[in-house]
Amino acid sequence: MLHIELFHNLYTQIRTTLDPNRSIAWLADEVDYLITTPYLVNELLAFSALHLSTTRPKRREYYRYHAAQLQTQALSIFKESSPQVAQETCVPLFVFAVSLGIHTLCDTLIYREGDFAHFLDRFVHFFRLYYGVRTIVHESWHMIKDTPLAPSFSMGTDLYKFDGRLGPGSQSLLNLVDRAKLGTELTEIYRQAIESLQSCLNVIDGRKGSHVGINAVTTWPILLKTEFGELIEQRRPEALVILAHYACMLHQCKDCWLFGDSGAFVIQEVTGYLGPDWEEWMAWPNQILGS
């Protein structure tokens, strides 16, 4: 009965959250054959269980338990089968990577047991896992072009190209990074993170709909250099400030079950962690939070 409930929730609620207009090919009816891929179906059911854990508070632990169990099972099957990127596997692999990444991000943001340091460690874990999405996309792009996923994916790659213009918050942050004289390598990592963040903010500003915000929030970590996760792990203050600027996007999507109050949490925690010496760096996130 649980699996039937999770399937129903997946196709009625989660589908509406991620694709209200039914325009994303990999969620559409014509690729329902995806559910015959065991590692993928387990992850999609796990994601569905995670959603129910946020919408049914009285049974939160029950659904969280099953979300974790199903995800563990999905990962186990995935590792055992060790699927190689090929024409028949590229779409299930891509959907699995994306679903796994969003699931892990949501679980990290919503369920924040422990202190801020523990949260940051979990975020770094998510970041490293999510980097696999980019790897799979890179390996399978020439094949994805011949699948139902191609139109929405091509649109996505065009949407998130940086157009050279920074908003006031991003420009102020980049000015502070430049002024800090952190060295060429570190400055370039931060510049790329800020420009990628601006690209995501531009998508939200230029297009309407809650699913647009969800896409932008979940896209930013894919766009970053792998070194950024290491800088979060090292608790580099500039990296934490950039994370707080990302939290402004989370805060804009606070009504979505995927993110909840995580934006406000990150901004407040980074502000407290860094202290008054970093007040200028944290001005824009705290302004957004205050408004």
Side-chain angles (χ1 to χ4, degrees):
M1 285 299 291
L2 174 64
H3 282 194
I4 295 172
E5 179 186 21
L6 295 179
F7 264 118
H8 182 263
N9 185 63
L10 177 69
Y11 271 77
T12 57
Q13 300 303 316
I14 292 179
R15 205 161 143 175
T16 303
T17 299
L18 298 178
D19 184 31
N21 301 319
R22 303 268 170 117
S23 60
I24 301 175
W26 62 268
L27 285 175
D29 292 331
E30 63 264 32
V31 287
D32 278 357
Y33 67 85
L34 290 179
I35 64 173
T36 60
T37 309
Y39 64 81
L40 175 57
V41 72
N42 274 278
E43 172 49 40
L44 291 176
L45 292 178
F47 192 39
S48 181
L50 184 71
H51 169 251
L52 290 175
S53 77
T54 69
T55 58
R56 301 181 183 176
K58 289 183 178 178
R59 304 190 74 194
R60 185 181 73 175
E61 293 308 318
Y62 170 79
Y63 287 114
R64 262 201 94 189
Y65 169 79
H66 285 289
Q69 289 292 104
L70 285 161
Q71 187 180 72
T72 299
Q73 196 171 342
L75 287 166
S76 176
I77 296 169
F78 180 78
K79 287 174 184 173
E80 284 176 20
S81 59
S82 190
Q84 301 301 304
V85 176
Q87 192 63 54
E88 65 274 14
T89 63
C90 64
V91 174
L93 275 170
F94 178 84
V95 179
F96 175 71
V98 172
S99 303
L100 182 67
I102 296 175
H103 179 153
T104 308
L105 175 63
C106 174
D107 194 65
T108 301
L109 295 173
I110 295 290
Y111 294 115
R112 305 182 299 262
E113 296 94 348
D115 58 12
F116 186 52
H118 181 65
F119 169 82
L120 290 175
D121 289 339
R122 290 190 70 208
F123 188 85
V124 171
H125 169 73
F126 148 74
F127 185 77
R128 287 175 176 154
L129 181 148
Y130 208 37
Y131 191 72
V133 175
R134 183 171 10 178
T135 305
I136 289 173
V137 170
H138 178 73
E139 290 179 1
S140 59
W141 170 231
H142 66 289
M143 299 176 192
I144 287 175
K145 286 190 291 186
D146 298 323
T147 72
L149 223 166
S152 52
F153 186 75
S154 298
M155 182 180 69
T157 55
D158 291 338
L159 271 179
Y160 292 99
K161 286 178 180 172
F162 179 58
D163 64 6
R165 295 173 296 174
L166 290 172
S170 299
Q171 186 63 65
S172 174
L173 178 56
L174 186 56
N175 291 344
L176 288 165
V177 168
D178 286 336
R179 204 188 309 160
K181 299 193 183 304
L182 302 165
T184 306
E185 186 180 355
L186 207 51
T187 299
E188 182 52 35
I189 293 169
Y190 290 147
R191 177 186 296 276
Q192 193 269 341
I194 294 166
E195 290 176 351
S196 298
L197 181 60
Q198 186 63 57
S199 298
C200 295
L201 289 166
N202 290 344
V203 170
I204 293 176
D205 291 341
R207 301 165 74 89
K208 296 192 181 298
S210 61
H211 64 293
V212 174
I214 293 167
N215 290 343
V217 167
T218 56
T219 294
W220 182 70
I222 298 178
L223 301 176
L224 300 183
K225 294 178 182 291
T226 49
E227 293 86 352
F228 188 80
E230 294 168 13
L231 297 171
I232 294 287
E233 190 171 37
Q234 295 165 17
R235 310 297 193 253
R236 287 285 310 202
E238 309 87 7
L240 295 180
V241 170
I242 294 173
L243 184 64
H245 280 67
Y246 169 62
C248 294
M249 264 204 302
L250 294 172
H251 190 58
Q252 282 183 269
C253 300
K254 63 182 181 294
D255 294 331
C256 175
W257 69 269
L258 286 162
F259 315 121
D261 66 347
S262 61
F265 167 80
V266 172
I267 293 169
Q268 289 165 351
E269 289 294 326
V270 172
T271 300
Y273 182 85
L274 295 179
D277 290 347
W278 291 81
E279 186 176 344
E280 185 181 5
W281 290 69
M282 289 293 295
W284 190 67
N286 280 302
Q287 180 187 330
I288 294 295
L289 189 58
S291 63

